[in-house]
């Protein structure tokens, strides 16, 4: 015995309507999801690399400021610290910072952990030579560790540079604590 068809009315859109409208809605959503227009936010791998370089340059510049503060507070350590400070300057320059920084570089984003200015660092420099060196070593160690973690999130060449500078920072820690730089 055949079943009679139900005379109930369908509610909602028909399948054919959804299939026709769906791709158009997706295309429209894709066009408005942050394109490359003049007011669009900068995003993508190239922008992430620029931000990582700027952050690394700022971190190195902050480290140079710490060296300057310790040298100012402890002039007797100047000869020992000068080569390490110069290496930090070269690191900042390698990341695009330092004296050769281009004015057209994108404005830096706020650092994840603020680097103190040289003037602020001068007041925070321990009075004892050994403690001042330990504070510099701690700053170098923290920065080297952050760079080692960050290199996992950046493309090849920048990752190699971060790894190299992190290794140099680890060597600086040794020289500041045990090596007698």
């Amino acid at each position: 015995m055949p079943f009679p068809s139900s005379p109930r009315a369908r509610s909602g859109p028909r399948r054919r309507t959804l299939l026709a409208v769906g791709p158009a809605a997706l295309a429209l959503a894709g066009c408005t999801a942050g394109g490359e227009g003049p007011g669009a936010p900068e995003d993508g791998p190239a922008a992430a690399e620029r931000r990582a370089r700027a952050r690394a340059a700022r971190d190195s510049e902050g480290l140079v400021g710490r060296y300057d503060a310790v040298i100012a507070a402890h002039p007797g350590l100047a000869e020992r610290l000068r080569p390490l400070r110069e290496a930090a300057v070269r690191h900042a320059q390698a990341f695009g910072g330092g004296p050769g920084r281009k004015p057209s570089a994108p404005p830096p984003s706020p650092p994840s952990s603020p680097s103190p200015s040289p003037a602020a660092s001068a007041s925070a420099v321990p009075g004892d030579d050994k403690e001042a060196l330990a504070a510099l070593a701690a700053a170098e160690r923290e920065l080297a560790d952050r760079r080692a973690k960050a290199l996992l999130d950046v493309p090849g060449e920048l990752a190699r540079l971060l790894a190299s500078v992190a290794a140099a920072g680890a060597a600086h820690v040794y020289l500041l604590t045990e090596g007698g730089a």
Side-chain angles (χ1 to χ4, degrees):
M1 168 164 170
F3 292 108
S5 62
S6 161
R8 65 182 177 160
R10 295 182 184 216
S11 64
R14 295 186 182 260
R15 185 176 348 157
R16 228 179 255 155
T17 306
L18 288 175
L19 291 174
V21 173
L26 289 174
L28 181 61
C31 290
T32 60
E36 300 277 333
E42 201 174 304
D43 215 9
E49 183 177 350
R50 280 193 300 276
R51 287 190 301 271
R53 279 184 177 278
R55 185 173 32 258
R58 275 193 319 277
D59 289 344
S60 289
E61 290 164 354
L63 196 55
V64 170
R66 285 178 176 260
Y67 276 104
D68 288 343
V70 171
I71 290 170
H74 301 277
L77 295 174
E79 186 177 329
R80 179 177 180 182
L81 297 179
R82 192 165 288 116
L84 303 177
R85 181 200 178 276
E86 289 170 2
V89 168
R90 286 191 304 274
H91 296 159
Q93 291 170 342
F95 289 117
R101 185 175 220 163
K102 298 173 185 156
S104 62
S109 59
S112 56
S113 62
S115 299
S117 68
S121 297
S123 64
V125 173
D128 179 59
D129 285 2
K130 192 171 185 174
E131 290 174 7
L133 292 173
L136 271 176
E140 285 271 15
R141 181 179 299 112
E142 188 270 333
L143 185 53
D145 290 347
R146 257 193 301 147
R147 286 180 169 156
K149 289 177 188 172
L151 67 88
L152 299 173
D153 299 326
V154 295
E157 192 59 37
L158 181 55
R160 284 186 284 280
L161 180 58
L162 278 172
S164 175
V165 173
H172 290 183
V173 171
Y174 173 78
L175 292 171
L176 288 166
T177 57
E178 299 171 24

